[in-house]
Amino acid sequence: MRSRSWALLLLAAGCSRCGAKPAASALELLPPHPGGAVVAAPLGVLAQHLSALADRAVSLPGGDQIGDGRRALAAQLGFDPLTRDGLLAAGLDPERGAALALLAGPDRPDWIAALPVAKSDAFLATVQRLAERSGFAPAAQQPQGARVYEGRGRRMAVAVIRGFGVLARTADPAASVAEADARPPGQSLTRDPGLDGARKRLGAQDLIFWAPAGSGLPPRLTSRTLPGDAALSLQAAEQGIALRMFAQLPQAQAQEVQAALPGGGASLVELLPPEAPVRGRLGIAPARLLESLRGNPELGPLLARLHGADAEAFASVAPGVAVALMLAKGANLGQAVDYGFDWRVRSPFETVQLVALAEVRDRQRLLRALEQVGKELPALGARVGRSGDDFQVSYPAGKGARFGVREIEGKPIAYLMGGPLRPDELRRTPRAAELPSAVLYADAGAALRVDFGKLAASLRALPQDAYGSGPQAYVSRSFVSQVIEPLRTVRLMLSAEAFPDRLGATLDVELSAP
């Protein structure tokens, strides 16, 4: 009887506004200038996309946990949020979108959400059930027009307003709900120019997360405040996930980022081995790239002993380095299990093939720098053999890198290679047809592509004795069969680009059919 009484009260709270004109969108009910916001596509579309993605992800390592988690969530909620019927059962409208505003709270962010409602009684009953399962109970004092719950030292209010279920977890949630009811559309989040600009820039997406400049929310995650608006979008599908991000920057900072990420190297990507599972274009300014390498705790001390020859070499090449990593021909996985990739114990180039290419700006300056590097390496315990403009390093653990300058199609190209592949074996291959690879062949910014299918194919091509014997074979075969093979349907594409007013980045996770 007590539960029925609360349901009737909730229904009365929701129906008190039944005659009001429906809101055009969830944003009309949310306050302007919040610390952040989340905007969702129509719930039915979002559910369809996430459901298709979850079904495809079941084939990945740990994918069975996704299916189990979905079933557990549906049992906990009392409905499946990834189906149209489940949304309707909860009283939600699959045809319209939802939104949430984040507000800076004293200890953790407060929030106000607006969800599209199809049936007020079913929605309010769903909220009541979930609130009670989460440890909330109806407050002793109930204001008019909303239902308030208390629990865990927090208060939450709910009401159905102009076709949307408004939930607020703030210091005074009943007042927040009342403000939503009285808020004119022109004084709502609908008119926020920052959020509107982010939505136009990112386009139609399943979810958009937005934070304005100076937001009080990011400092909870990082010590830095946002110098400008930032947004992240998510688009899901059976084929994978696409993430898009941008962060607005002040002019001086944007110019600094552009100088550090000028792009380049697109013409070199086609020279990389097409079978390489990892291919990238690092459009980073050479000086910044060297600075990053010097900051490495292992490489830094070694580079410092080159007495500036490394700086001369990097100053002689153009921005944009094309890089590829792949399994070396003749790799022995059993030995890799024993020795790992500690280059001081055994050369990693017995297992991994590295190719790094850069366009040369000043050939003579670069060759002088490389010659100086060759002279300094013996002091580090390495031997250097030179043949023309080609340098080969060897050291007690095995063969090291090979570096130098080669004429390729009439242009001097600097190379750094490790493994059995030789510079004269590089051949230009046609650009890959798949769309996610397109950013690899553009000069702007930087891009990296990881294809686990190509890695799995190269492992399958190894002879049986490459896996070693005894415990070696068990570990190496288990890793390949339980991790790499299930991941063969996964491809990742990461890119970043600097603009005059912002920094943009993308991450595509592509899942092909098993």
Side-chain angles (χ1 to χ4, degrees):
M1 291 295 295
R2 179 172 178 270
S3 177
R4 290 180 181 178
S5 298
W6 282 117
L8 290 173
L9 287 171
L10 285 168
L11 181 59
C15 288
S16 64
R17 302 169 177 82
C18 290
K21 180 181 179 181
S25 73
L27 297 175
E28 279 193 9
L29 301 169
L30 301 182
H33 317 303
V38 182
V39 181
L43 298 185
V45 174
L46 176 60
Q48 180 183 8
H49 291 171
L50 293 178
S51 178
L53 176 64
D55 291 343
R56 176 64 65 87
V58 169
S59 62
L60 299 178
D64 53 341
Q65 298 181 13
I66 296 176
D68 294 342
R70 177 178 176 178
R71 288 186 288 272
L73 177 63
Q76 180 70 20
L77 296 177
F79 65 96
D80 188 347
L82 299 188
T83 66
R84 185 182 182 85
D85 289 343
L87 293 172
L88 289 171
L92 296 170
D93 183 0
E95 302 300 330
R96 293 180 291 155
L100 178 145
L102 293 166
L103 311 171
D107 53 351
R108 55 182 174 175
D110 291 335
W111 52 264
I112 305 174
L115 305 173
V117 172
K119 296 181 180 180
S120 297
D121 54 348
F123 170 75
L124 294 171
T126 298
V127 172
Q128 176 183 333
R129 182 178 69 253
L130 296 180
E132 292 176 349
R133 288 183 178 180
S134 301
F136 285 79
Q141 299 294 326
Q142 292 291 334
Q144 184 178 2
R147 296 311 301 167
V148 178
Y149 293 89
E150 296 179 334
R152 302 179 181 180
R154 306 289 294 181
R155 290 163 59 84
M156 181 183 71
V158 60
V160 176
I161 302 174
R162 288 183 278 158
F164 285 86
V166 177
L167 294 95
R169 194 195 69 184
T170 61
D172 190 348
S176 299
V177 169
E179 290 171 1
D181 191 13
R183 181 173 293 113
Q187 299 176 19
S188 68
L189 189 54
T190 303
R191 301 297 178 88
D192 193 296
L195 176 58
D196 184 60
R199 297 177 71 189
K200 289 179 179 177
R201 175 164 287 162
L202 295 170
Q205 303 287 331
D206 285 340
L207 291 170
I208 293 179
F209 306 85
W210 168 78
S215 171
L217 298 177
R220 299 175 180 276
L221 304 175
T222 174
S223 59
R224 299 182 179 182
T225 57
L226 287 176
D229 286 8
L232 171 71
S233 68
L234 180 149
Q235 182 69 41
E238 182 182 8
Q239 294 78 18
I241 297 176
L243 298 176
R244 302 289 182 266
M245 183 276 289
F246 76 83
Q248 291 182 332
L249 302 172
Q251 183 177 7
Q253 189 174 353
Q255 291 176 348
E256 182 180 347
V257 174
Q258 277 192 302
L261 193 65
S267 62
L268 302 174
V269 174
E270 292 181 9
L271 294 172
L272 299 175
E275 68 274 17
V278 179
R279 293 188 297 159
R281 180 179 51 77
L282 309 181
I284 306 172
R288 292 298 182 90
L289 182 57
L290 177 59
E291 181 182 339
S292 176
L293 295 175
R294 284 179 170 177
N296 183 282
E298 291 188 354
L299 290 177
L302 296 177
L303 293 175
R305 298 178 66 176
L306 297 180
H307 304 295
D310 54 340
E312 282 291 295
F314 275 77
S316 305
V317 298
V321 178
V323 181
L325 284 173
M326 57 189 294
L327 197 66
K329 295 179 181 179
N332 189 308
L333 299 185
Q335 291 182 355
V337 169
D338 282 344
Y339 296 101
F341 289 95
D342 188 340
W343 59 272
R344 293 163 298 188
V345 177
R346 197 175 188 90
S347 173
F349 299 130
E350 295 181 7
T351 307
V352 177
Q353 173 74 58
L354 165 69
V355 178
L357 307 173
E359 295 183 7
V360 177
R361 280 183 168 175
D362 189 331
R363 180 168 186 160
Q364 295 306 315
R365 184 182 182 183
L366 175 59
L367 288 174
R368 287 195 299 269
L370 296 182
E371 185 177 5
Q372 183 63 31
V373 169
K375 292 180 180 179
E376 299 292 345
L377 286 180
L380 302 179
R383 298 185 303 276
V384 181
R386 180 175 183 178
S387 176
D389 294 337
D390 181 86
F391 300 79
Q392 174 66 65
V393 179
S394 60
Y395 64 111
K399 271 193 174 183
R402 185 174 188 169
F403 56 88
V405 179
R406 283 293 175 99
E407 289 284 337
I408 300 179
E409 299 176 348
K411 295 182 179 180
I413 304 298
Y415 61 87
L416 173 67
M417 301 176 65
L421 189 66
R422 301 190 308 274
D424 55 282
E425 293 178 304
L426 296 177
R427 297 289 185 273
R428 188 174 296 278
T429 55
R431 298 184 178 187
E434 59 266 38
L435 182 61
S437 291
V439 292
L440 275 178
Y441 302 101
D443 254 331
L448 180 70
R449 181 168 173 79
V450 181
D451 189 328
F452 287 95
K454 292 183 178 180
L455 177 58
S458 63
L459 288 168
R460 287 195 295 267
L462 291 175
Q464 294 300 313
D465 57 4
Y467 289 88
S469 59
Q472 290 179 332
Y474 175 78
V475 173
S476 56
R477 290 183 185 279
S478 296
F479 178 75
V480 172
S481 63
Q482 297 178 22
V483 179
I484 302 301
E485 279 294 334
L487 285 174
R488 70 187 185 280
T489 63
V490 179
R491 287 184 288 273
L492 308 178
M493 172 59 73
L494 176 66
S495 67
E497 184 176 354
F499 297 90
D501 62 340
R502 68 190 186 278
L503 175 66
T506 67
L507 172 63
D508 293 316
V509 181
E510 181 184 348
L511 304 178
S512 60

